[in-house]
Amino acid sequence: NKNVNTNSQLNEQNLEKLIDKYSSYSSNDLLSEFIKLTIEKKKKGELNNQELQKIKSTIVPFLSQEQKSKLDEIIELVEKM
């Protein structure tokens, strides 16, 4: 359990860093970057479908309906890779 808590804290810290890093990006830039990074990680075997769904659930509250639809399409494509 200690590792899980540590991983959660690291993920929160990483998320804060990512928010800072990408705060100046437009919505389209963010989606493009998400696609690029997701595909790279998926190809390297560093991202499985469960993790992809977890990421999705984390960012969906911040997206417009149009962005959510695009994200769903992207995730569906990436999961098939």
Side-chain angles (χ1 to χ4, degrees), residues 10-53:
L10 290 174
N11 288 337
E12 289 173 18
Q13 289 171 351
N14 288 341
L15 184 58
E16 288 176 15
K17 287 179 185 176
L18 287 173
I19 289 169
D20 288 343
K21 178 179 178 181
Y22 295 114
S23 63
S24 64
Y25 280 48
S26 71
S27 297
N28 288 335
D29 290 341
L30 284 172
L31 278 176
S32 295
E33 186 71 6
F34 175 79
I35 293 166
K36 183 179 93 176
L37 294 173
T38 301
I39 290 172
E40 285 175 13
K41 288 191 170 286
K42 184 77 173 181
K43 284 182 179 179
K44 292 179 182 177
E46 297 174 352
L47 183 68
N48 64 36
N49 291 347
Q50 183 180 1
E51 292 166 331
L52 193 55
Q53 288 301 320

